[in-house]
Amino acid sequence: MKGKVLKGTSLLLASVMLVGSLAACSSKEEEKKPADETGKTNTAENTTETPTTDKSPITYTMLAADPSPDWNQMQDEVGKKITEKTGVTLKMDFATDANKVALVAASGEYPDIISAKGSSNLFVDAGAVLDLTDLIDQYGPNLKKVYGDYWNRLKWSNDDQGVYVVPTYDGVGNTYFDAGGAFSLQHQAVEEAGYPQIKTVKDYEKVIADYVAKHPTTADGKKTLGLSLLADDWRIMISVTNPAFQATGASDDGEIYIDPKTYQATFHYRRPEEKEYFRWLNHMNDIGLIDPESFVQKEDQYKAKIAQGRVVGVIDQKWGFQSSIDSLKKEGKNAATYGFYSVQMDDKTVDHTFEPTGFMGGYGLMISKDAKNPERIIQMLDYLASEEGQVLINWGIEGKHYNVENGKRVIPQAVQDQKTNDASNFKKTTGIGLYNNYGPHYGDGVQDSTGNYFTTNFPEQIQKTYSEEDKKVLAAYGKTTWKDFYPSEKEFAAKPWGAAWNLPVPSDSDANIIYNKLTPIVRKRIPEIILSKPSEFDAKWDAFLAELDKNGVKKYEEEYTKYIQERVNLWSGR
Amino acid sequence: MEAITLNEKKPAGAKNKGFWFRMVQQKYLYFMTIPFVIWVFVFSYLPIWGWTMAFQKYRPARSFWDQDWVGFKHFVDLFNDDRFYLVMRNTLAMSFMSLIAGFTIPILFAVLLNELRNQVFKRFVQTISYLPHFVSWVVVAGIVTKMLSIDGGVINDLLVWLHIIDKPIVFMGEGKYFWTIVTSSDIWKEMGWNTIIYLAAITGIDPEQYEAARVDGAGRWRQIWHITLPGIRTTISVLLIMSIGHLIQIGFEKQFLLGNPRVIDYSEVLDLYALNNGLALNRFSFGTAISIFNSVVSVILLFVANGIFKRVTKESIM
């Protein structure tokens, strides 16, 4: 009976469309008038007040593919300032489930601003969004300045060189100062092992094995877990499969590996090197160091285990278990928090984690063809892109969230404490960090005209967020940040294709359909292979590769190779 | 000849006249149904227009005439996908399990509740038993996973303590347990709720029948067998026919929330398949094709079930 609720996607879709089109028919007539009127008043104000920018209050609807739990309807301090400076208020709608963006695309009723992440192509294909080239030329001098030499990377495709997406996810000129994944170890384990060299999976394994052998249970009697992995839905990629890139010295491009010379794409499980990584995980399971619930547990169970301080090693990105680290810190269990190490299969390969991508363009904002006064949106984005706007979204308001001492921006200790210990509330009230993905921005390590960094992440600032325990471990290794364990980005040339994971692949292309067949195979087989007996490993791995082959993995790779080559051509302006 | 034709004409004319006559007579009643007819038309029949999508290479925001027509391509794709058959197996298996358990247990429970003399206790039990119906599946899935966990899960602890098993079993990681887990959690959640309708039906049975049976010397079991169960037979068959119609539309929340990569071959159901391969990939046409298949099978099942019941028990919903 419950099935009735979901009585077929077609009916749902069709009714959405129907209602949508009815609404569109009825509202078009009504909407036209106010639009014209506001247009008139705007021009009137333009002539009387400021000749260049219009700051009369205006509200835009916006759909964001990423939920932002701390969003405060622009009632936070930074939000109020943005409204004051540009007149714009954003009325946000978040896509709480994956299909919302697709449904909006199908409905034909578009919000003014759309941040669709990977689904941008839906809107562009449908002709639902504006080509912004001329608008930016006219109203966005700061936007042009921010993107600078990367302008080519904003263009849609070789055939259609329009700019539909203002990239807002990736920071321009970003350099990383801190590492946050994927191989992490509890400080107490490293300390007890006497700060050994941690370079290979064997070193990593030894620290875990020794600690578990010595402390089979935690102080409060819970079983110590060697390594806990998370395979809940897409998280399997972050915690189980993608670390194979890192450990084999390859550059992580999502689910594919791209040969830096030939641009040949390979579904990364098909690299012989990675087989060895999974063999190692299989071995870890065999000797009982992998939490037997790894492939069954849900995200909350996983985080709870880490927060109890009983997981010695975590293979995951730091953002994946940040909340657990926070609660460990709150309970004063700093020894059970984690350090991040560069771990390779053997010493022949080099960790490519920090291989620079250059500015990646990609995910960002689009403006609907139905938006009123689209130039106002561009002007708002332009304000955010200006030096003033950049400092505002990153640092907050002068005298309140930061002070300028001897020409340097400094965050007062009280504010910093609040930011570290009560991050979510801080974000909600101040708005610092809320707007980074809603406007173009510089990345870490870029300096403004006064010689200060645009973002609040710079080496000295990062060390301030470290606990005493973090510093102690780092000092024992003679390092200052976790990143120092990794080869620096200066050792690599930037990848000319940026990162393949943000490549817009046509939604109904064969590559996409094949990928959807490959995904369940990977998600089912990889856990099975890791949990099998070591003697069966080779046979199971071969069967896995054969299954991929049968489902068209080669065709998938071919298509992807084509996309990559096209992108390299587009981005290099050829 | 003439007489015969006259004779034939007469009743026909009278019947026609009767229909129109009655329609005029009952015009207000007809008027009153109009809003509902419109409602059904707009929300149940107009959307069927969307089925045309299944035969197109549908692109959003283009007008109907600008779409490319591809015929039965999406259906061919669907029936050529091995995964589709696996998914059908899972859907039907879990449907049948929940159909069987979901009918016998609430009926038994209703009959037993009915036999309780203490009204206060009866009400209490009934309320407690249907409360889980209001708990969301997200929460239920959390409780089930925690209970079956090997990390301090109640079930494993209990089984180990009773020496039924030597070491904890990863229940959630074994495909063979999955269908049972889904069915049992479904029973736990919906048993009490489904009992309500049978209890209501039992209340409708004339108490004189029980008195008569008692006078004839029937004991409790006899009364249940000869009066209570036949008394709710109509309700049972109507509900059964309707559930058979929904056999392959079992939704996907349970399977989605309780599933994990290790049991994916047992947990993926048709609706989830449609979601993953249709909407999630923006293949609206393919998704529509699946749901047409879904609806057609449902209608066939409904008619077959209805036909069988009509013949066997002389009861039907149409």
Side-chain angles (χ1 to χ4, degrees):
Chain A
M1 258 160 244
K2 208 161 281 133
K4 194 147 202 193
V5 182
L6 287 150
K7 198 179 178 172
T9 16
S10 77
L11 299 194
L12 177 81
L13 257 180
S15 50
V16 165
M17 287 176 57
L18 184 84
V19 173
S21 56
L22 286 177
C25 294
S26 56
S27 58
K28 250 176 205 161
E29 302 296 315
E30 293 157 30
E31 266 174 20
K32 253 181 195 162
K33 270 182 198 163
D36 288 347
E37 271 164 27
T38 47
K40 268 174 211 158
T41 49
N42 284 346
T43 43
E45 271 171 32
N46 273 348
T47 45
T48 50
E49 276 186 20
T50 42
T52 46
T53 46
D54 173 9
K55 287 174 188 165
S56 60
I58 187 162
T59 302
Y60 286 109
T61 52
M62 172 165 170
L63 173 75
D66 265 337
S68 170
D70 299 322
W71 180 252
N72 200 4
Q73 313 299 338
M74 292 195 78
Q75 290 311 300
D76 46 82
E77 286 155 302
V78 171
K80 282 182 184 158
K81 193 89 182 168
I82 293 174
T83 308
E84 180 196 320
K85 290 282 178 184
T86 63
V88 175
T89 310
L90 295 174
K91 199 163 158 275
M92 293 293 267
D93 189 6
F94 297 104
T96 37
D97 73 294
N99 300 309
K100 176 139 185 189
V101 176
L103 281 172
V104 169
S107 75
E109 277 275 275
Y110 310 113
D112 300 322
I113 307 173
I114 306 156
S115 166
K117 289 182 82 182
S119 304
S120 303
N121 51 342
L122 271 187
F123 293 87
V124 177
D125 290 349
V129 289
L130 295 173
D131 179 359
L132 303 173
T133 318
D134 297 338
L135 280 170
I136 294 179
D137 265 343
Q138 206 173 339
Y139 299 101
N142 288 310
L143 287 170
K144 289 220 117 174
K145 200 174 132 202
V146 170
Y147 295 126
D149 296 339
Y150 291 117
W151 186 254
N152 272 334
R153 296 191 169 198
L154 269 62
K155 290 179 182 168
W156 185 250
S157 69
N158 290 313
D159 304 326
D160 180 357
Q161 305 240 341
V163 173
Y164 297 100
V165 182
V166 179
T168 54
Y169 273 78
D170 195 30
V172 180
N174 192 51
T175 42
Y176 293 96
F177 294 120
D178 202 8
F183 296 88
S184 64
L185 283 169
Q186 278 187 327
H187 293 328
Q188 53 198 21
V190 180
E191 204 175 326
E192 215 158 274
Y195 306 109
Q197 170 178 294
I198 301 168
K199 281 247 161 92
T200 66
V201 290
K202 287 287 155 206
D203 302 335
Y204 185 73
E205 177 186 332
K206 189 163 184 303
V207 174
I208 297 176
D210 289 351
Y211 188 83
V212 174
K214 227 178 198 176
H215 306 270
T217 55
T218 57
D220 46 1
K222 291 218 167 68
K223 197 165 169 272
T224 309
L225 301 166
L227 200 55
S228 197
L229 305 175
L230 180 60
D232 192 2
D233 205 16
W234 60 276
R235 294 285 271 109
I236 191 173
M237 295 192 277
I238 311 297
S239 173
V240 184
T241 61
N242 281 8
F245 275 114
Q246 188 186 339
T248 54
S251 160
D252 185 346
D253 265 298
E255 286 295 277
I256 51 172
Y257 168 75
I258 292 162
D259 188 298
K261 290 191 193 79
T262 59
Y263 305 139
Q264 175 69 42
T266 313
F267 198 52
H268 74 100
Y269 307 94
R270 283 163 34 90
R271 297 170 60 231
E273 298 93 324
E274 289 196 15
K275 181 180 174 187
E276 297 313 308
Y277 177 75
F278 292 106
R279 193 194 295 281
W280 173 70
L281 283 181
N282 174 275
H283 157 75
M284 289 292 277
N285 178 61
D286 187 46
I287 57 176
L289 286 183
I290 291 188
D291 174 7
E293 282 194 314
S294 283
F295 301 102
V296 184
Q297 62 191 344
K298 300 280 168 192
E299 191 154 358
D300 54 333
Q301 288 174 297
Y302 164 80
K303 284 183 173 169
K305 283 179 192 164
I306 299 173
Q308 286 164 352
R310 49 197 278 240
V311 185
V312 186
V314 175
I315 303 182
D316 194 359
Q317 294 296 321
K318 192 180 179 191
W319 47 257
F321 59 109
Q322 180 70 50
S323 61
S324 309
I325 298 177
D326 290 346
S327 68
L328 281 169
K329 277 186 182 164
K330 222 172 234 170
E331 288 170 43
K333 291 183 186 165
N334 279 318
T337 59
Y338 296 83
F340 297 88
Y341 303 89
S342 165
V343 171
Q344 296 289 296
M345 286 309 295
D346 47 44
D347 44 20
K348 288 183 207 112
T349 50
V350 179
D351 195 320
H352 276 56
T353 302
F354 288 100
E355 180 175 23
T357 54
F359 175 62
M360 290 189 291
Y363 299 171
L365 308 182
M366 296 175 288
I367 300 179
S368 149
K369 64 175 193 305
D370 302 328
K372 294 166 262 166
N373 305 64
E375 73 280 358
R376 290 288 303 272
I377 301 174
I378 296 293
Q379 279 164 351
M380 178 200 70
L381 294 176
D382 193 60
Y383 170 73
L384 292 177
S386 70
E387 202 162 303
E388 186 189 332
Q390 287 291 297
V391 172
L392 176 68
I393 61 168
N394 284 305
W395 291 84
I397 293 156
E398 184 172 352
K400 218 171 194 177
H401 308 125
Y402 71 93
N403 297 314
V404 178
E405 292 166 13
N406 307 325
K408 284 194 97 175
R409 280 195 286 271
V410 184
I411 300 180
Q413 194 55 45
V415 177
Q416 185 61 41
D417 284 348
Q418 205 194 348
K419 195 175 182 177
T420 327
N421 301 327
D422 196 8
S424 160
N425 228 345
F426 180 79
K427 233 174 156 181
K428 210 172 220 160
T429 51
T430 63
I432 294 171
L434 275 184
Y435 298 88
N436 286 2
N437 285 346
Y438 303 151
H441 56 96
Y442 287 110
D444 297 342
V446 183
Q447 292 171 337
D448 66 4
S449 58
T450 63
N452 279 299
Y453 291 106
F454 275 118
T455 70
T456 53
N457 292 333
F458 46 88
E460 305 90 56
Q461 199 74 33
I462 280 198
Q463 283 154 38
K464 271 195 192 170
T465 65
Y466 286 156
S467 68
E468 283 310 311
E469 198 73 28
D470 291 329
K471 287 181 190 159
K472 194 170 118 196
V473 176
L474 284 167
Y477 282 103
K479 315 264 183 194
T480 46
T481 65
W482 301 113
K483 196 198 165 192
D484 296 342
F485 284 99
Y486 293 75
S488 144
E489 67 275 353
K490 295 189 185 83
E491 294 176 28
F492 309 99
K495 298 194 274 189
W497 63 88
W501 51 260
N502 76 348
L503 194 79
V505 174
S507 49
D508 55 353
S509 62
D510 284 342
N512 243 354
I513 292 165
I514 296 171
Y515 175 70
N516 224 43
K517 281 189 181 163
L518 299 178
T519 311
I521 299 174
V522 169
R523 293 193 182 172
K524 176 178 65 187
R525 295 294 172 216
I526 291 288
E528 203 179 292
I529 287 167
I530 295 173
L531 295 175
S532 65
K533 293 194 190 80
S535 55
E536 294 167 358
F537 178 84
D538 283 298
K540 287 211 165 166
W541 187 263
D542 291 344
F544 167 57
L545 291 188
E547 204 175 344
L548 292 180
D549 214 12
K550 206 182 113 207
N551 283 282
V553 71
K554 289 201 174 114
K555 178 129 198 258
Y556 171 77
E557 290 174 353
E558 261 168 46
E559 275 207 26
Y560 239 101
T561 309
K562 201 181 80 205
Y563 292 132
I564 295 291
Q565 283 164 348
E566 274 171 13
R567 173 180 261 195
V568 172
N569 288 342
L570 177 70
W571 279 15
S572 55
R574 259 179 273 164
Chain B
M1 281 291 275
E2 221 173 58
I4 292 168
T5 32
L6 258 176
N7 270 349
E8 269 181 350
K9 260 181 188 168
K10 233 182 183 174
K15 202 182 170 194
N16 268 343
K17 196 184 155 195
F19 174 74
W20 290 111
F21 179 71
R22 241 182 296 132
M23 190 161 169
V24 173
Q25 200 178 32
Q26 301 178 345
K27 55 180 180 292
Y28 297 112
L29 292 178
Y30 277 98
F31 276 129
M32 281 162 78
T33 61
I34 285 176
F36 301 101
V37 172
I38 293 176
W39 170 274
V40 168
F41 182 72
V42 167
F43 287 99
S44 300
Y45 284 88
L46 270 189
I48 292 181
W49 176 246
W51 278 13
T52 50
M53 256 194 239
F55 307 98
Q56 304 167 336
K57 184 183 158 86
Y58 179 76
R59 297 293 183 90
R62 277 199 202 172
S63 87
F64 181 73
W65 305 110
D66 294 340
Q67 306 286 354
D68 306 323
W69 294 84
V70 296
F72 284 92
K73 177 180 172 291
H74 298 296
F75 291 93
V76 173
D77 284 355
L78 178 66
F79 296 128
N80 277 334
D81 187 357
D82 297 342
R83 194 135 194 102
F84 169 69
Y85 296 99
L86 188 79
V87 163
M88 271 312 278
R89 180 201 69 179
N90 297 341
T91 311
L92 289 177
M94 277 183 267
S95 274
F96 272 112
M97 285 173 75
S98 78
L99 186 72
I100 292 164
F103 262 89
T104 48
I105 296 178
I107 293 172
L108 274 178
F109 190 57
V111 170
L112 291 180
L113 270 185
N114 187 49
E115 296 300 316
L116 280 177
R117 288 275 161 76
N118 186 336
Q119 283 302 309
V120 180
F121 182 67
K122 181 180 160 186
R123 290 271 152 74
F124 179 72
V125 170
Q126 205 193 333
T127 311
I128 294 279
S129 68
Y130 73 63
L131 275 182
H133 171 76
F134 299 101
V135 180
S136 125
W137 265 112
V138 181
V139 179
V140 174
I143 297 174
V144 171
T145 338
K146 286 258 155 64
M147 280 176 74
L148 294 176
S149 161
I150 57 163
D151 189 52
V154 185
I155 308 277
N156 268 316
D157 285 357
L158 188 72
L159 290 179
V160 171
W161 184 69
L162 291 173
H163 295 286
I164 293 172
I165 48 174
D166 299 334
K167 57 174 192 192
I169 299 173
V170 188
F171 285 107
M172 301 306 288
E174 302 284 342
K176 59 184 175 197
Y177 297 128
F178 188 77
W179 294 345
T180 321
I181 294 173
V182 168
T183 313
S184 342
S185 12
D186 203 20
I187 294 293
W188 176 75
K189 191 166 166 341
E190 302 297 343
M191 180 185 75
W193 184 255
N194 292 338
T195 305
I196 295 179
I197 196 157
Y198 298 115
L199 274 177
I202 292 173
T203 326
I205 300 172
D206 188 353
E208 280 180 20
Q209 291 188 21
Y210 288 103
E211 277 163 34
R214 237 172 286 146
V215 170
D216 287 347
R220 281 245 171 154
W221 289 112
R222 288 279 147 206
Q223 287 179 33
I224 292 175
W225 188 251
H226 291 292
I227 296 169
T228 313
L229 285 177
I232 59 173
R233 197 177 66 184
T234 328
T235 317
I236 296 176
S237 23
V238 168
L239 286 180
L240 194 59
I241 294 169
M242 280 163 62
S243 331
I244 288 174
H246 293 139
L247 258 189
I248 63 167
Q249 306 177 340
I250 56 172
F252 63 87
E253 335 159 65
K254 294 172 260 190
Q255 290 80 4
F256 180 73
L257 290 164
L258 287 166
N260 61 61
R262 283 184 66 191
V263 295
I264 203 167
D265 278 354
Y266 295 88
S267 68
E268 198 174 11
V269 288
L270 197 62
D271 282 325
L272 196 57
Y273 176 84
L275 184 74
N276 285 339
N277 292 280
L279 264 191
L281 276 190
N282 302 319
R283 289 164 80 196
F284 300 107
S285 300
F286 190 65
T288 312
I290 298 174
S291 87
I292 291 182
F293 169 79
N294 206 327
S295 304
V296 169
V297 173
S298 297
V299 169
I300 294 174
L301 281 175
L302 185 67
F303 276 99
V304 169
N306 195 46
I308 293 173
F309 272 86
K310 214 181 217 168
R311 197 157 295 172
V312 177
T313 68
K314 308 275 179 297
E315 266 146 19
S316 79
I317 57 168
M318 280 174 281

